[in-house]
Amino acid sequence: MILEILLALPISDKTFFYKEKYLEKNKPKIGQIVKVKFRNKLQIGIVLKTAKKISLNKKLLEIENSYEKYFFNEEIIESINFLSRYTCNSISIILKNFLSGFNKNSKKLELIDHHHTFKLPVLSEEQKKALFKINEKNLNIFGVISLYGVTGSGKTRVYMNIVKKKLKKNFQCLILVPEIILTKEWVDEIFTDFGINAEIYHSSVKAKQKEKIWNHVILNKPILIIGTRSSLFLPFKNLGIIVVDEEHDQSYKQEDKLIINARDFAIIRAKNSNCPIILSSATPSIENVYNCKKKKFTEIQISKRVNEVPLPDIQIIDMKKEKKIISNKLIVQIQKNLNSKLQTMIFVNKRGYTSYILCKKCGFIKQCPNCNVSLVLHNFIDKESFLLCHHCSYREKFTNYCNSCKSENSITFPGEGIEKIYEEVQKKFSKSKCIFISSDSVKNKTNLNSILKKIINNEVDIIIGTQILSKGHNFPYLKTVGILNIDHFLNDFDFRSFEKCFQQIIQVSGRAGRKDQVGNVLIQTFQPEHLVFENCKNYSFKQFYDEEIKRRKKFEHPPFSNFISLIITSISDVKSRQFSSFLSRNLKKNFNQTYIFGPAPAVISMKNKRYRYRLLIKLKKNYALQYTVKEFIKKFKVPPEIKLYIDVDPINFL
């Protein structure tokens, strides 16, 4: 028997032929994981096809080993093929991700050992209605259910009832979450409320635990996985349901190495597995809403919070009338909360102390030597300051000295990051217990779970945080949310900028007002008349989405079209520009049904000392044409000094 093998190596889409071992008892079948010798090294792959004969002018090697218990079923192989076709990623790279938990040297088979007690938490009347509507659907076949519920409405309790039923029937279940930091809190909550043991799966899970989970899944054992993007590459054999929580979150888009949108891939895996998928959010994506209106998805709504606590009152503060970083209204409200022993959260979606440093004498702005972006000042309040590039991680010690005009003590700090806001709050409320939380502080200074525990136990008065705290957390004593520096969302390099701004405000606003108390939200802005803020203030979800979809249709932006972004990089500006122009000419020559913008220098035109040019292809909603364009791009011979990145449905235009 001749076996066509796909290897988990970065070698494009090539396959290789081997012979099965003579008189082997367990004959390899399609999808079987095998070990073979390739270029004098042992490598892992899967069997794609089998044949009795094949015409080749060379002697074939025998496979080294066939792993009897380990094979990928038809659904996994189809998902691998589809993802490769849709994203233009190498099929070998995708296979490598599916094999990430497999240990070819393991001698002992270890599985997950736990059991469920299956509790039944009490549901509100609206939660019961939502659950009833979901149960009316055929949950034994593929279908997309959009579960839209305001923040604090208990969406988790609704879909966990479905998960519980599937587990009782010995299905495998997957809940996707956007951030690693959310997984532990989720696992604890699900065990407390439902008596269900879940397994955490993400990139930081230890290799041994990954292996146990991977073995458990491929051997078709029932399990609930709560994981981030990487959990979608587990070799599920019997998926009963997939849930994508906070489906709108941009963290689902992976932008390095394997460029995919995990939410969209989750829908594909559910379709290929013929199981339902629930997309859950308080601020569903425009694409989600559009698909509901077109009856492609089923929409289920929950309009009230648990215990019917009202949504927070949202106020807009015109900062053109203010002279301080923190408005007078917000200062007054913080003091009221301190007097009442209630908490305030200040949301600042900017890391560091200030986003750039400026010489007040000559106007010089310190930039990264590797990227054409300004360096961000960090740790200024601790007097161990350093400048950091948020793109390549270049770092240098901060000195109050201008490299351009050689002036000393001439540096000023115009931008306002989370650390600067923290400094201002401490000056104003020196006796309060104040903390700031960002991805920097969590990774380097303290344990996030211990901080969250302090917040939940009301041991903190004022919390200053980035978007790390904007979703998935329930703070019972949080009265007020202040939103600062939100205007930059409206002026982003992205047709989704209004959507991002709206979602961010509603999500972070939802943290306020739990435990039978009405919260309030203060939004500081220099554009108080903007429609996004008006829609947020009035919780006009329908109006916002109607206006946004109308705007998208006018300009033929997604969901009425598709974008393919091509990033061309090189250490040579000339070569990068020349290849970009060459690619653009050929695309324009062969595809007159598309809009091709560029080439032009990317917004970040240099990153990691590589010059970056961008081509943007806009196609009418036509998968056949999209596939033809992508296949055409793949045929180009890319010079060795050039790197070409293909991003289908981009969310980042930098």
Side-chain angles (χ1 to χ4, degrees):
M1 185 74 73
I2 309 299
L3 309 175
E4 186 178 355
I5 308 292
L6 174 67
L7 298 177
L9 293 172
I11 48 177
S12 72
D13 292 336
K14 287 184 179 179
T15 56
F16 302 89
F17 294 93
Y18 290 82
K19 295 191 295 184
E20 68 173 315
K21 277 193 172 181
Y22 182 64
L23 293 177
E24 186 179 6
K25 291 181 180 179
N26 302 306
K27 293 184 181 293
K29 51 190 172 184
I30 292 174
Q32 191 83 58
I33 297 175
V34 294
K35 186 191 291 184
V36 300
K37 191 171 282 186
F38 180 79
R39 294 174 183 171
N40 295 319
K41 289 184 178 179
L42 292 174
Q43 304 289 353
I44 298 297
I46 62 167
V47 178
L48 285 186
K49 293 179 183 177
T50 61
K52 290 183 179 180
K53 291 182 180 179
I54 192 167
S55 299
L56 290 173
N57 296 323
K58 61 179 181 180
K59 187 179 178 181
L60 295 181
L61 296 173
E62 290 185 347
I63 63 170
E64 296 291 321
N65 190 18
S66 173
Y67 296 90
E68 179 192 355
K69 294 181 179 180
Y70 299 127
F71 67 93
F72 290 168
N73 61 11
E74 187 178 340
E75 181 274 314
I76 297 173
I77 294 172
E78 177 52 36
S79 294
I80 291 172
N81 284 323
F82 180 89
L83 193 60
S84 176
R85 292 195 304 270
Y86 189 83
T87 65
C88 284
N89 284 292
S90 161
I91 193 170
S92 302
I93 295 294
I94 297 167
L95 174 63
K96 189 176 180 180
N97 279 267
F98 270 95
L99 288 167
S100 61
F102 176 67
N103 183 357
K104 62 183 178 184
N105 299 316
S106 180
K107 295 180 180 179
K108 185 180 177 183
L109 179 62
E110 292 188 75
L111 303 178
I112 303 298
D113 182 23
H114 63 210
H115 67 281
H116 313 296
T117 56
F118 293 120
K119 299 178 187 176
L120 285 169
V122 178
L123 300 182
S124 70
E125 286 303 312
E126 213 180 5
Q127 289 168 348
K128 287 177 184 176
K129 287 178 183 177
L131 183 60
F132 178 78
K133 287 179 182 177
I134 295 173
N135 281 324
E136 281 188 317
K137 303 292 169 184
N138 188 346
L139 298 178
N140 295 316
I141 61 172
F142 170 71
V144 184
I145 298 165
S146 175
L147 180 59
Y148 160 57
V150 298
T151 53
S153 61
K155 296 180 291 294
T156 307
R157 291 199 167 189
V158 173
Y159 64 65
M160 277 304 301
N161 270 275
I162 309 297
V163 170
K164 182 188 67 178
K165 287 181 182 178
K166 292 290 183 177
L167 286 171
K168 281 185 171 182
K169 293 179 180 179
N170 292 324
F171 281 100
Q172 298 172 327
C173 304
L174 172 63
I175 299 176
L176 279 181
V177 293
E179 304 276 0
I180 289 175
I181 63 166
L182 294 176
T183 51
K184 180 64 168 65
E185 192 174 341
W186 273 74
V187 167
D188 293 344
E189 183 182 333
I190 284 169
F191 181 75
T192 301
D193 287 356
F194 288 88
I196 295 173
N197 279 291
E199 292 299 321
I200 295 172
Y201 196 93
H202 50 67
S203 56
S204 298
V205 172
K206 292 181 179 178
K208 191 67 180 174
Q209 181 66 4
K210 275 189 176 180
E211 183 187 342
K212 287 172 69 173
I213 293 172
W214 195 92
N215 286 336
H216 196 99
V217 170
I218 200 168
L219 295 177
N220 200 12
K221 306 293 183 183
I223 194 171
L224 169 61
I225 302 290
I226 297 178
T228 54
R229 297 179 307 227
S230 59
S231 60
L232 269 175
F233 293 96
L234 284 167
F236 294 105
K237 292 289 188 66
N238 189 25
L239 267 172
I241 189 169
I242 298 177
V243 177
V244 183
D245 199 76
E246 308 289 3
E247 65 84 14
H248 68 279
D249 199 293
Q250 291 192 31
S251 300
Y252 284 123
K253 181 72 184 220
Q254 182 167 307
E255 296 183 293
D256 60 333
K257 297 178 182 177
L258 185 61
I259 303 175
I260 65 162
N261 189 312
R263 178 198 62 195
D264 298 344
F265 187 38
I267 294 174
I268 297 303
R269 288 217 67 179
K271 185 179 181 180
N272 291 340
S273 299
N274 199 29
C275 75
I277 180 169
I278 296 176
L279 307 180
S280 176
S281 177
T283 53
S285 60
I286 294 293
E287 289 85 352
N288 187 340
V289 176
Y290 180 76
N291 283 322
C292 287
K293 288 191 174 188
K294 292 294 180 180
K295 306 299 180 184
K296 291 181 180 179
F297 297 175
T298 301
E299 186 180 59
I300 308 289
Q301 290 193 17
I302 310 176
S303 59
K304 296 177 182 177
R305 296 175 118 187
V306 175
N307 299 327
E308 298 194 4
V309 175
L311 289 166
D313 174 57
I314 298 178
Q315 301 175 48
I316 313 297
I317 300 171
D318 187 355
M319 292 304 288
K320 294 192 294 290
K321 301 175 182 178
E322 298 278 346
K323 295 181 181 180
K324 303 174 184 175
I325 298 174
I326 303 173
S327 65
N328 284 322
K329 280 188 179 179
L330 182 53
I331 288 170
V332 169
Q333 186 61 58
I334 292 172
Q335 190 57 60
K336 283 183 180 177
N337 292 345
L338 289 171
N339 296 339
S340 304
K341 295 185 177 180
L342 294 171
Q343 295 169 331
T344 305
M345 177 190 291
I346 298 176
F347 174 75
V348 188
N349 203 28
K350 281 189 180 181
R351 295 159 54 197
Y353 186 83
T354 180
S355 47
Y356 64 100
I357 59 170
L358 173 73
C359 176
K360 57 189 175 187
K361 288 192 176 180
C362 71
F364 176 74
I365 295 174
K366 184 79 172 178
Q367 288 204 311
C368 174
N370 306 321
C371 315
N372 70 327
V373 295
S374 57
L375 290 171
V376 179
L377 179 61
H378 281 258
N379 226 33
F380 187 67
I381 53 181
D382 292 337
K383 310 303 178 188
E384 293 180 2
S385 315
F386 59 91
L387 297 168
L388 180 69
C389 175
H390 288 176
H391 298 277
C392 73
S393 299
Y394 169 83
R395 178 171 173 157
E396 68 175 57
K397 187 177 179 181
F398 168 74
T399 56
N400 202 333
Y401 173 81
C402 178
N403 297 83
S404 179
C405 68
K406 313 302 180 186
S407 300
E408 292 188 4
N409 300 316
S410 62
I411 302 299
T412 187
F413 315 109
E416 294 133 18
I418 185 173
E419 294 176 21
K420 193 171 184 178
I421 301 299
Y422 174 74
E423 184 183 58
E424 288 292 317
V425 169
Q426 281 201 312
K427 285 179 184 176
K428 191 69 182 176
F429 304 98
S430 57
K431 295 182 180 179
S432 66
K433 298 172 188 172
C434 181
I435 58 168
F436 78 87
I437 306 174
S438 69
S439 56
D440 301 299
S441 65
V442 169
K443 286 178 182 177
N444 302 323
K445 292 181 180 181
T446 190
N447 183 293
L448 179 65
N449 289 327
S450 66
I451 294 175
L452 292 175
K453 191 176 179 180
K454 286 181 180 179
I455 298 171
I456 292 167
N457 293 336
N458 205 17
E459 296 171 20
V460 178
D461 300 316
I462 305 169
I463 309 120
I464 302 163
T466 59
Q467 63 181 3
I468 201 169
L469 288 178
S470 66
K471 59 212 168 198
H473 303 292
N474 181 11
F475 303 134
Y477 297 96
L478 183 60
K479 169 73 174 179
T480 302
V481 170
I483 301 175
L484 279 59
N485 296 335
I486 197 70
D487 289 351
H488 74 278
F489 272 103
L490 299 174
N491 304 297
D492 201 0
F493 303 97
D494 189 354
F495 68 90
R496 294 189 179 93
S497 58
F498 291 0
E499 179 185 9
K500 289 178 187 175
C501 188
F502 180 82
Q503 289 169 339
Q504 190 68 81
I505 290 172
I506 296 300
Q507 286 288 334
V508 74
S509 297
R511 299 313 107 207
R514 306 286 180 98
K515 203 176 179 180
D516 303 324
Q517 62 169 343
V518 180
N520 62 341
V521 180
L522 304 178
I523 303 172
Q524 298 187 174
T525 174
F526 289 92
Q527 305 175 69
E529 69 289 341
H530 201 286
L531 281 173
V532 169
F533 298 131
E534 282 298 311
N535 287 328
C536 287
K537 182 181 177 181
N538 300 318
Y539 291 98
S540 304
F541 301 99
K542 185 179 182 304
Q543 186 177 337
F544 171 77
Y545 287 122
D546 287 348
E547 289 170 353
E548 187 64 11
I549 285 175
K550 192 186 296 181
R551 191 168 69 94
R552 299 274 184 96
K553 190 174 184 178
K554 179 182 177 181
F555 295 105
E556 290 189 325
H557 287 334
F560 304 98
S561 63
N562 283 99
F563 280 126
I564 301 175
S565 176
L566 306 181
I567 295 290
I568 298 95
T569 79
S570 171
I571 58 172
S572 165
D573 185 26
V574 173
K575 289 181 178 179
S576 187
R577 185 172 64 251
Q578 286 176 341
F579 186 75
S580 302
S581 299
F582 167 76
L583 200 57
S584 177
R585 285 195 304 272
N586 278 277
L587 284 165
K588 288 173 181 176
K589 183 180 174 181
N590 286 273
F591 295 97
N592 54 16
Q593 304 177 58
T594 64
Y595 297 100
I596 299 168
F597 306 98
V603 174
I604 301 176
S605 59
M606 179 182 274
K607 189 174 179 180
N608 281 316
K609 294 186 177 180
R610 296 184 69 88
Y611 293 91
R612 304 170 77 240
Y613 283 79
R614 180 185 293 276
L615 274 166
L616 193 63
I617 305 170
K618 186 179 184 180
L619 309 93
K620 289 187 178 179
K621 203 79 174 177
N622 183 339
Y623 179 68
L625 178 61
Q626 182 176 328
Y627 180 67
T628 306
V629 171
K630 287 182 289 193
E631 286 300 299
F632 182 78
I633 295 167
K634 286 173 75 173
K635 290 177 182 176
F636 279 92
K637 188 170 177 65
V638 181
E641 66 273 18
I642 298 288
K643 288 183 180 179
L644 173 61
Y645 299 93
I646 304 171
D647 185 356
V648 179
D649 303 326
I651 62 167
N652 183 350
F653 292 86
L654 295 176

